[in-house]
mmCIF file of all heavy atoms in Angstrom:
data_model
loop_
_atom_site.group_PDB
_atom_site.id
_atom_site.type_symbol
_atom_site.label_atom_id
_atom_site.label_comp_id
_atom_site.label_asym_id
_atom_site.label_seq_id
_atom_site.Cartn_x
_atom_site.Cartn_y
_atom_site.Cartn_z
ATOM 1 N N SER B 663 -27.243 -16.928 -17.852
ATOM 2 C CA SER B 663 -26.612 -15.956 -18.805
ATOM 3 C C SER B 663 -25.784 -14.955 -18.114
ATOM 4 O O SER B 663 -25.857 -14.725 -16.888
ATOM 5 C CB SER B 663 -27.695 -15.230 -19.635
ATOM 6 O OG SER B 663 -28.312 -14.261 -18.788
ATOM 7 N N LEU B 664 -24.998 -14.294 -18.966
ATOM 8 C CA LEU B 664 -24.054 -13.282 -18.402
ATOM 9 C C LEU B 664 -24.877 -12.132 -17.700
ATOM 10 O O LEU B 664 -24.390 -11.662 -16.603
ATOM 11 C CB LEU B 664 -23.315 -12.604 -19.580
ATOM 12 C CG LEU B 664 -21.894 -12.338 -19.393
ATOM 13 C CD1 LEU B 664 -21.268 -11.924 -20.711
ATOM 14 C CD2 LEU B 664 -21.661 -11.163 -18.419
ATOM 15 N N ALA B 665 -26.022 -11.814 -18.242
ATOM 16 C CA ALA B 665 -26.793 -10.751 -17.655
ATOM 17 C C ALA B 665 -27.230 -11.120 -16.240
ATOM 18 O O ALA B 665 -27.209 -10.248 -15.339
ATOM 19 C CB ALA B 665 -28.028 -10.522 -18.525
ATOM 20 N N THR B 666 -27.539 -12.323 -16.061
ATOM 21 C CA THR B 666 -28.014 -12.748 -14.736
ATOM 22 C C THR B 666 -26.762 -12.712 -13.781
ATOM 23 O O THR B 666 -26.971 -12.264 -12.600
ATOM 24 C CB THR B 666 -28.593 -14.165 -14.827
ATOM 25 O OG1 THR B 666 -29.642 -14.185 -15.669
ATOM 26 C CG2 THR B 666 -29.048 -14.582 -13.352
ATOM 27 N N VAL B 667 -25.689 -13.189 -14.175
ATOM 28 C CA VAL B 667 -24.456 -13.102 -13.281
ATOM 29 C C VAL B 667 -24.273 -11.630 -12.897
ATOM 30 O O VAL B 667 -24.058 -11.345 -11.719
ATOM 31 C CB VAL B 667 -23.262 -13.638 -14.087
ATOM 32 C CG1 VAL B 667 -21.992 -13.438 -13.178
ATOM 33 C CG2 VAL B 667 -23.445 -15.155 -14.389
ATOM 34 N N ASP B 668 -24.347 -10.821 -13.851
ATOM 35 C CA ASP B 668 -24.129 -9.405 -13.603
ATOM 36 C C ASP B 668 -25.118 -8.834 -12.539
ATOM 37 O O ASP B 668 -24.801 -8.185 -11.647
ATOM 38 C CB ASP B 668 -24.309 -8.602 -14.832
ATOM 39 C CG ASP B 668 -23.900 -7.117 -14.697
ATOM 40 O OD1 ASP B 668 -22.773 -6.816 -14.267
ATOM 41 O OD2 ASP B 668 -24.787 -6.341 -14.881
ATOM 42 N N ARG B 669 -26.368 -9.248 -12.755
ATOM 43 C CA ARG B 669 -27.476 -8.794 -11.806
ATOM 44 C C ARG B 669 -27.075 -9.304 -10.430
ATOM 45 O O ARG B 669 -27.248 -8.565 -9.438
ATOM 46 C CB ARG B 669 -28.795 -9.368 -12.280
ATOM 47 C CG ARG B 669 -29.371 -8.599 -13.476
ATOM 48 C CD ARG B 669 -30.777 -8.979 -13.809
ATOM 49 N NE ARG B 669 -30.913 -9.979 -14.824
ATOM 50 C CZ ARG B 669 -31.254 -9.672 -16.059
ATOM 51 N NH1 ARG B 669 -31.483 -8.428 -16.470
ATOM 52 N NH2 ARG B 669 -31.339 -10.597 -16.991
ATOM 53 N N VAL B 670 -26.641 -10.489 -10.292
ATOM 54 C CA VAL B 670 -26.326 -11.037 -8.985
ATOM 55 C C VAL B 670 -25.130 -10.310 -8.407
ATOM 56 O O VAL B 670 -25.146 -9.869 -7.256
ATOM 57 C CB VAL B 670 -26.069 -12.564 -9.038
ATOM 58 C CG1 VAL B 670 -25.587 -13.052 -7.671
ATOM 59 C CG2 VAL B 670 -27.348 -13.297 -9.477
ATOM 60 N N LEU B 671 -24.116 -10.256 -9.193
ATOM 61 C CA LEU B 671 -22.895 -9.641 -8.650
ATOM 62 C C LEU B 671 -23.105 -8.274 -8.203
ATOM 63 O O LEU B 671 -22.399 -7.779 -7.237
ATOM 64 C CB LEU B 671 -21.772 -9.693 -9.700
ATOM 65 C CG LEU B 671 -21.242 -11.113 -9.994
ATOM 66 C CD1 LEU B 671 -20.091 -11.027 -11.054
ATOM 67 C CD2 LEU B 671 -20.711 -11.754 -8.743
ATOM 68 N N ASN B 672 -23.913 -7.532 -8.873
ATOM 69 C CA ASN B 672 -24.134 -6.150 -8.519
ATOM 70 C C ASN B 672 -25.411 -5.895 -7.713
ATOM 71 O O ASN B 672 -25.886 -4.778 -7.663
ATOM 72 C CB ASN B 672 -24.113 -5.246 -9.808
ATOM 73 C CG ASN B 672 -22.746 -5.315 -10.443
ATOM 74 O OD1 ASN B 672 -21.815 -4.754 -9.882
ATOM 75 N ND2 ASN B 672 -22.644 -5.976 -11.520
ATOM 76 N N ALA B 673 -25.965 -6.994 -7.240
ATOM 77 C CA ALA B 673 -27.096 -6.921 -6.361
ATOM 78 C C ALA B 673 -28.256 -6.143 -6.982
ATOM 79 O O ALA B 673 -28.928 -5.380 -6.299
ATOM 80 C CB ALA B 673 -26.737 -6.323 -5.005
ATOM 81 N N ARG B 674 -28.429 -6.354 -8.254
ATOM 82 C CA ARG B 674 -29.531 -5.691 -8.917
ATOM 83 C C ARG B 674 -30.762 -6.593 -8.787
ATOM 84 O O ARG B 674 -30.667 -7.864 -8.628
ATOM 85 C CB ARG B 674 -29.256 -5.420 -10.352
ATOM 86 C CG ARG B 674 -28.579 -4.173 -10.684
ATOM 87 C CD ARG B 674 -28.507 -3.868 -12.084
ATOM 88 N NE ARG B 674 -27.300 -4.516 -12.747
ATOM 89 C CZ ARG B 674 -26.079 -3.925 -12.743
ATOM 90 N NH1 ARG B 674 -25.944 -2.726 -12.257
ATOM 91 N NH2 ARG B 674 -25.041 -4.533 -13.321
ATOM 92 N N PRO B 675 -31.963 -5.963 -8.786
ATOM 93 C CA PRO B 675 -33.192 -6.771 -8.516
ATOM 94 C C PRO B 675 -33.551 -7.645 -9.769
ATOM 95 O O PRO B 675 -33.004 -7.455 -10.832
ATOM 96 C CB PRO B 675 -34.258 -5.681 -8.284
ATOM 97 C CG PRO B 675 -33.781 -4.517 -9.036
ATOM 98 C CD PRO B 675 -32.273 -4.560 -8.967
ATOM 99 N N GLY B 676 -34.524 -8.524 -9.566
ATOM 100 C CA GLY B 676 -35.075 -9.275 -10.620
ATOM 101 C C GLY B 676 -34.423 -10.605 -10.806
ATOM 102 O O GLY B 676 -34.309 -11.166 -11.935
ATOM 103 N N VAL B 677 -33.943 -11.204 -9.707
ATOM 104 C CA VAL B 677 -33.343 -12.571 -9.743
ATOM 105 C C VAL B 677 -33.975 -13.368 -8.593
ATOM 106 O O VAL B 677 -34.014 -12.899 -7.474
ATOM 107 C CB VAL B 677 -31.775 -12.538 -9.623
ATOM 108 C CG1 VAL B 677 -31.200 -13.919 -9.844
ATOM 109 C CG2 VAL B 677 -31.264 -11.463 -10.651
ATOM 110 N N ARG B 678 -34.289 -14.593 -8.905
ATOM 111 C CA ARG B 678 -34.829 -15.466 -7.907
ATOM 112 C C ARG B 678 -33.802 -15.894 -6.929
ATOM 113 O O ARG B 678 -32.617 -16.078 -7.308
ATOM 114 C CB ARG B 678 -35.493 -16.690 -8.543
ATOM 115 C CG ARG B 678 -36.983 -16.760 -8.510
ATOM 116 C CD ARG B 678 -37.536 -17.924 -9.157
ATOM 117 N NE ARG B 678 -36.928 -18.070 -10.561
ATOM 118 C CZ ARG B 678 -36.999 -19.178 -11.271
ATOM 119 N NH1 ARG B 678 -37.631 -20.217 -10.797
ATOM 120 N NH2 ARG B 678 -36.508 -19.193 -12.434
ATOM 121 N N ASP B 679 -34.211 -16.115 -5.729
ATOM 122 C CA ASP B 679 -33.228 -16.559 -4.675
ATOM 123 C C ASP B 679 -32.461 -17.800 -5.097
ATOM 124 O O ASP B 679 -31.265 -17.933 -4.909
ATOM 125 C CB ASP B 679 -33.953 -16.863 -3.320
ATOM 126 C CG ASP B 679 -34.383 -15.569 -2.702
ATOM 127 O OD1 ASP B 679 -34.121 -14.478 -3.262
ATOM 128 O OD2 ASP B 679 -35.025 -15.601 -1.635
#
Side-chain angles (χ1 to χ4, degrees):
Chain B
S663 77
L664 222 170
T666 303
V667 173
D668 184 61
R669 286 189 261 259
V670 172
L671 290 181
N672 295 290
R674 273 188 273 274
V677 186
R678 252 179 308 168
D679 287 358

